[in-house]
Amino acid sequence: MADPFYITTAISYPNGRPHIGHAYEAIAADAIARFHRLSGREVRFQTGTDEHGLKMDQTARAQGRPTRELADEMSGYFKDMCDALNISYDRFIRTTEPAHHAASQAIWRAMEANGDLYLGRYEGWYSVRDEAYYDEKELVAGEAGEKLSPQGTPVEWTVEESWFFRLSKYQDKLLALYDNPDFLRPESRRNEIVNFVRGGLSDLSISRTSFDWGVKVPGSEDHVMYVWLDALTCYISGLGYPDTGGDYARFWPADLQLVGKDIVRFHAVYWPAFLMSAGLAPPSQVFGHGFLLHRGEKMSKSLGNVVDPIALADTFGVDSLRYFLLREVSFGQDGSYSAEAIVTRVNADLANSFGNLAQRILSFIAKNCDGIVPSAGKADPADAALAATVAEATRAEMPRLFADLALSQGIEAWLKAVFACNQYVDTQAPWALRKTDPDRMTAVLATLYQAIGDLAVAILPVIPQSAARLLDTMGIPEADRTFAALDDAGRHARLVASGFKLAPPSPIFPRLDMPAEA
Ligand code: MSP
């Protein structure tokens, strides 16, 4: 297969269980990965857990258990979440894997060999929650006048011996990288980062000595690497680095690194600088998506609005949740969710529009046409017009918008084609034609059969399970479930010739009810 496409999510801190924000990132990345697979590209999709650092160590200590034990248990929940949500990752990486340690030490040595590391003493602010160092000038005052990070998290004054990375040396090279508007998207995040880098970069502390939960610094065994240095390295250790052949040669630089807006600095400043220092290529694109809020509010343990994504998927269905998140949130911006919003959206778009279309047409064919796949019949210009609308949406608009990461707009284009089909059903009224003009009825049903099949293929990245179930019901073979197949004019004739018979279908998207406790 040609044209490799490497997509990554951030790797989550497993200091607690996954929440809907983690699920959102995984679902978005999955839809993009599936879209590119459907477009014929060879996709590599990586996600995983970021298990070192002070935050993990402190959480384990507070629970009186070994850090590794906490990491093992919690990492398992993240993997379970991905599996429950149908996330089609090729690699789930854990930073505690020995090969990842070796890779982190290799990038360290490469940076050192380039003369970019020196031993010093760090005196400054650190946020354990963000696992980040901040300059004094970046801090903001909290309600009681206490110092907080720009993310609003507590900071502590930290003094310790540390290795430093000459980040300051990379200012111009980074600014040159941002000249390419595709490197960092959306535009608003690029502007933020350009301003930050133009403001001057301090060298970065990249090792710690006050705790030992991390990757050992080569040659300085009493130091562990700064957790972000090891964490970012996962994107290449997962490809087999320091072996620069094999998967690394095939997939690096990454085509798309998807991260939340809170960690854009690490991915768009530190990460490319580390890579350049080690003589490696920076990723092609970093995309900083927005935050998911609950009824417009930040999720937090104290507000009691942290929702388990698996519970949400159990209540509403995995594909309903996926559809809602991708359709409702304009990708790149913050978005809000609530049980009512999920029920309303899913009922309107999936149950009443697409689901109802498929259900009425397919059950009609099963019942009144012996399940024989309709073809030919007496044509009318309205048929070609509908086919053209569906083709434009599924073969042109959706692929273009998805390729540009305009996921919500892509789904909207798809939904407009669904509406057009429903309108066509209403005006053509195949039920009435059964008695008055069966030949015309056949043409209408054949037009709709193909339209429904094409719409199901195009929406596979968003609702993979339900769309596949619909395609199974319709007898559309795996090989015809690609964007290329949508352009293959012979596929419907092949299905008809195969003698496939449609069995009475069951609804793909039953209407959701508001859960009692929501
Ligand atoms: N471990 C770091 C990332 C290291 S990548 C080399 C980290 N972990 S995290 O668990 O805090 O966050 C993981 C991802 O989830 C990040 O991209 C973060 O932005 C995203 N989200 C966390 N909360 C979120 C929402 N409420 N909404 C959307 N995404 C959110 O950061």
Side-chain angles (χ1 to χ4, degrees):
M1 221 188 280
D3 217 2
F5 183 86
Y6 182 31
I7 176 170
T8 63
T9 66
I11 49 171
S12 303
Y13 293 124
N15 63 318
R17 288 176 180 248
H19 57 64
I20 187 73
H22 299 121
Y24 174 63
E25 185 171 303
I27 288 171
D30 183 63
I32 297 164
R34 286 175 186 271
F35 163 74
H36 284 286
R37 281 193 207 106
L38 217 58
S39 308
R41 296 188 71 172
E42 182 187 359
V43 171
R44 168 92 170 196
F45 172 16
Q46 175 172 297
T47 187
T49 43
D50 179 0
E51 306 183 12
H52 298 126
L54 204 44
K55 177 151 70 175
M56 280 299 287
D57 205 39
Q58 286 182 355
T59 307
R61 254 178 239 273
Q63 295 178 12
R65 52 197 302 211
T67 315
R68 178 64 203 237
E69 186 189 296
L70 173 75
D72 285 347
E73 183 192 341
M74 293 292 154
S75 175
Y77 297 134
F78 280 85
K79 193 156 188 281
D80 290 348
M81 174 194 79
C82 287
D83 293 334
L85 298 177
N86 225 338
I87 305 304
S88 60
Y89 57 82
D90 301 291
R91 177 84 161 91
F92 187 99
I93 196 164
R94 297 187 53 189
T95 54
T96 42
E97 292 171 19
H100 172 78
H101 278 232
S104 305
Q105 291 172 332
I107 198 172
W108 179 287
R109 283 197 205 91
M111 291 158 68
E112 191 172 34
N114 200 29
D116 286 341
L117 308 190
Y118 61 91
L119 196 58
R121 188 179 161 80
Y122 181 74
E123 283 192 34
W125 297 102
Y126 192 77
S127 159
V128 178
R129 200 102 70 78
D130 304 346
E131 297 283 17
Y133 301 94
Y134 291 107
D135 283 345
E136 176 87 37
K137 62 176 192 259
E138 292 185 87
L139 301 183
V140 296
E143 272 174 20
E146 76 279 21
K147 288 183 191 295
L148 296 177
S149 81
Q151 311 276 355
T153 59
V155 289
E156 56 192 38
W157 184 252
T158 304
V159 179
E160 64 190 62
E161 186 189 66
S162 173
W163 281 93
F164 282 83
F165 168 61
R166 289 187 207 282
L167 182 63
S168 53
K169 184 175 140 184
Y170 288 89
Q171 182 169 353
D172 291 342
K173 287 193 173 111
L174 288 168
L175 288 170
L177 190 62
Y178 310 145
D179 282 344
N180 168 9
D182 284 339
F183 173 73
L184 176 55
R185 291 180 61 205
E187 182 71 21
S188 55
R189 314 233 190 277
R190 188 165 77 100
N191 296 338
E192 234 171 75
I193 292 295
V194 167
N195 288 337
F196 172 71
V197 173
R198 278 207 190 118
L201 294 172
S202 315
D203 288 349
L204 184 69
S205 161
I206 52 161
S207 76
R208 305 287 311 244
T209 40
S210 52
F211 64 99
D212 65 359
W213 175 244
V215 178
K216 288 206 178 328
V217 169
S220 286
E221 298 277 300
D222 50 337
H223 288 241
V224 289
M225 288 184 199
Y226 171 39
V227 61
W228 272 100
L229 172 52
D230 112 58
L232 289 160
T233 303
C234 84
Y235 301 129
I236 53 174
S237 68
L239 295 176
Y241 177 85
D243 175 359
T244 50
D247 286 335
Y248 179 93
R250 190 142 190 77
F251 292 107
W252 194 259
D255 295 86
L256 177 60
Q257 302 218 260
L258 201 60
V259 300
K261 64 179 184 181
D262 57 328
I263 56 170
V264 167
R265 180 189 297 187
F266 302 93
H267 285 82
V269 182
Y270 302 167
W271 179 224
F274 295 160
L275 287 164
M276 289 192 264
S277 167
L280 305 171
S284 302
Q285 185 168 102
V286 172
F287 187 96
H289 64 74
F291 258 48
L292 199 61
L293 309 168
H294 181 252
R295 297 179 196 282
E297 282 187 351
K298 220 172 155 170
M299 289 176 285
S300 76
K301 280 187 192 136
S302 53
L303 285 172
N305 61 357
V306 184
V307 176
D308 170 8
I310 299 187
L312 216 52
D314 284 345
T315 307
F316 299 111
V318 172
D319 281 353
S320 297
L321 179 64
R322 291 174 59 111
Y323 182 87
F324 168 80
L325 291 174
L326 297 175
R327 169 71 184 94
E328 192 82 1
V329 184
S330 177
F331 199 53
Q333 287 166 25
D334 289 350
S336 193
Y337 77 96
S338 65
E340 300 89 270
I342 297 175
V343 169
T344 308
R345 172 65 75 186
V346 167
N347 282 347
D349 294 6
L350 294 183
N352 296 348
S353 298
F354 187 54
N356 195 30
L357 168 72
Q359 186 60 20
R360 345 193 238 168
I361 298 306
L362 300 183
S363 47
F364 183 83
I365 296 170
K367 212 153 122 204
N368 299 301
C369 313
D370 271 343
I372 294 168
V373 177
S375 71
K378 185 162 77 183
D380 182 280
D383 308 346
L386 182 76
T389 301
V390 172
E392 173 66 16
T394 56
R395 295 183 227 166
E397 281 183 88
M398 241 195 132
R400 177 176 56 77
L401 290 162
F402 264 59
D404 194 35
L405 304 181
L407 306 178
S408 174
Q409 293 86 333
I411 299 172
E412 203 181 336
W414 172 84
L415 191 63
K416 280 196 184 136
V418 172
F419 291 157
C421 289
N422 277 322
Q423 211 165 30
Y424 173 87
V425 173
D426 291 344
T427 50
Q428 301 300 320
W431 352 112
L433 291 171
R434 192 160 80 94
K435 296 232 168 69
T436 57
D437 192 351
D439 219 23
R440 176 71 199 124
M441 176 194 78
T442 303
V444 170
L445 294 178
T447 305
L448 286 166
Y449 204 97
Q450 294 172 76
I452 293 167
D454 289 7
L455 289 166
V457 169
I459 203 70
L460 272 167
V462 179
I463 48 171
Q465 244 163 10
S466 356
R469 191 150 72 82
L470 180 56
L471 290 162
D472 289 345
T473 304
M474 297 178 72
I476 295 174
E478 285 281 346
D480 284 348
R481 301 179 189 181
T482 65
F483 281 111
L486 296 185
D487 284 327
D488 171 1
R491 70 197 187 290
H492 189 66
R494 279 199 304 276
L495 177 63
V496 172
S498 74
F500 172 81
K501 267 191 146 189
L502 189 69
S506 49
I508 304 286
F509 304 105
R511 276 185 67 84
L512 298 178
D513 293 321
M514 261 310 284
E517 73 278 13

